[in-house]
Amino acid sequence: MALPAAERLPYALELLQQLTGQSAEDVVRVRKQLGVSKKHAQMLLARNAAFPRTLTKEQIMTAIHGPGWEQDIRSVAVMASKVREKHPDLIETVWGTGYRLTRKLDVGTDPVAGRENSGDPWTEQDDEDLRRMMENGSELHVIADEMDRSERSVADRWRRIRGRKA
C-alpha cells in the first residue's frame, strides 16, 4: 500500500537517516583518513551508505542534521566543493539530481573514542582554519564543534594566535 503524497517525503527522510546511521567512531575515522571536517565526513558517510546511488541535497542535509533541518540547502554544494579541493575524484555531481561517490569508502573498524583532536597538538593548518573561521565571525562553540576540540582549547589557541600578531 502506497503512502499518501504528503507522507512520502518525511518517511523517505526518516528511512534515509536510519540507513545512514553514522556512529561517532565512523565520523572520526573518515575525518582522519581523508583530512576533512566533521560535517564533510558526515556528508561522505551518507553518500557512502547510499553507494552507488545518487543522493539529493535534501537527503544529504537530513543525513547530516536530521529531520527538520533549517540550514541553507546550498551548503551541500559548498561542502562538496571543499571535499573536492582535497579529493578531486571522490564526489561526482549528477546535474539536476544530487551527488554520489565515485567509489565506496573503506571506513574501517578500529574504535576511536572522544573528540578526535582532544590533546593533539595544533598544526599550522589548524591555526589557519581557526583564523579563517574567527575572521568570518563564526561563534566559538561552532568552531569547537567543527574542529572537534573543546571551546576552552579553541579560545586559548585563538589568544595565542592573536598574541603572535602583536
Side-chain angles (χ1 to χ4, degrees), residues 45-116:
L45 284 168
R47 291 178 182 161
N48 201 47
F51 185 83
R53 296 184 322 262
T54 300
L55 292 182
T56 66
K57 291 177 181 180
E58 292 82 4
Q59 291 169 324
I60 293 167
M61 290 295 282
T62 299
I64 293 171
H65 300 290
W69 49 267
E70 296 178 8
Q71 289 75 14
D72 189 343
I73 196 73
R74 292 175 291 187
S75 66
V76 174
V78 173
M79 284 189 278
S81 167
K82 296 288 185 185
V83 171
R84 280 193 189 113
E85 287 175 7
K86 293 183 178 188
H87 305 281
D89 298 327
L90 186 58
I91 297 175
E92 181 178 71
T93 301
V94 180
W95 293 104
T97 305
Y99 299 91
R100 69 175 164 224
L101 292 179
T102 57
R103 61 179 160 73
K104 185 120 172 112
L105 299 175
D106 180 18
V107 177
T109 57
D110 295 331
V112 179
R115 288 190 171 267
E116 174 190 355

